[in-house]
Amino acid sequence: MDGQNWEHALIMVNNNLGKLDLKVVALGAAIVPIFAPGKLRSALQEAIDKGLSLEICSVSMAAAGLSEATPPKGALTKPGLIAISEARKDGFLYFVVA
C-alpha cells in the first residue's frame, strides 16, 4: 500500500482492535502523512491508545528529512526490515505495511 491507503488501513485496524494483536509497520513514502497534523495523525493516536502497535521505519524517516520529527505518542521507530523480522519472530503472521 502507499500513503493514500491509510484510511483503508485504519478501517481494518479499528475493526479488529481488541480482537487481534495488531502491529503496523510503516515505511517508505507512506510515513510522511503520519507526521502531518490532521485526521490521520489523530486517528493513529487513537488506535495506539486502544492497543495498536505502530512501528515507523527510521530509515524512511531519514530519507524523508523527518529524522528529528516526533512520532505519535507510543509509536516506535526502527529500521522497517528489522521491525518486520522481529515481528515475524514474535509470531505475527500478517502485517499492514504502508
Side-chain angles (χ1 to χ4, degrees):
M1 293 191 305
D2 61 28
Q4 297 175 2
N5 294 325
W6 272 112
E7 183 176 358
H8 177 68
L10 283 170
I11 290 170
M12 290 188 309
V13 165
N14 285 322
N15 286 340
N16 290 290
L17 271 175
K19 299 176 189 173
L20 302 170
D21 188 11
L22 296 173
K23 180 175 289 203
V24 173
V25 178
L27 45 100
I31 63 124
V32 175
I34 295 172
F35 293 93
K39 290 180 4 181
L40 173 62
R41 182 156 176 131
S42 296
L44 278 171
Q45 188 63 62
E46 185 177 319
I48 292 168
D49 293 343
K50 291 180 180 177
L52 173 68
S53 174
L54 174 64
E55 296 186 0
I56 304 168
C57 178
S58 57
V59 176
S60 298
M61 287 176 64
L66 294 168
S67 294
E68 301 300 318
T70 303
K73 184 179 178 184
L76 302 174
T77 59
K78 63 173 71 170
L81 295 178
I82 291 173
I84 291 169
S85 176
E86 289 174 353
R88 287 184 46 102
K89 289 177 186 173
D90 289 342
F92 285 90
L93 300 175
Y94 299 95
F95 300 90
V96 176
V97 179

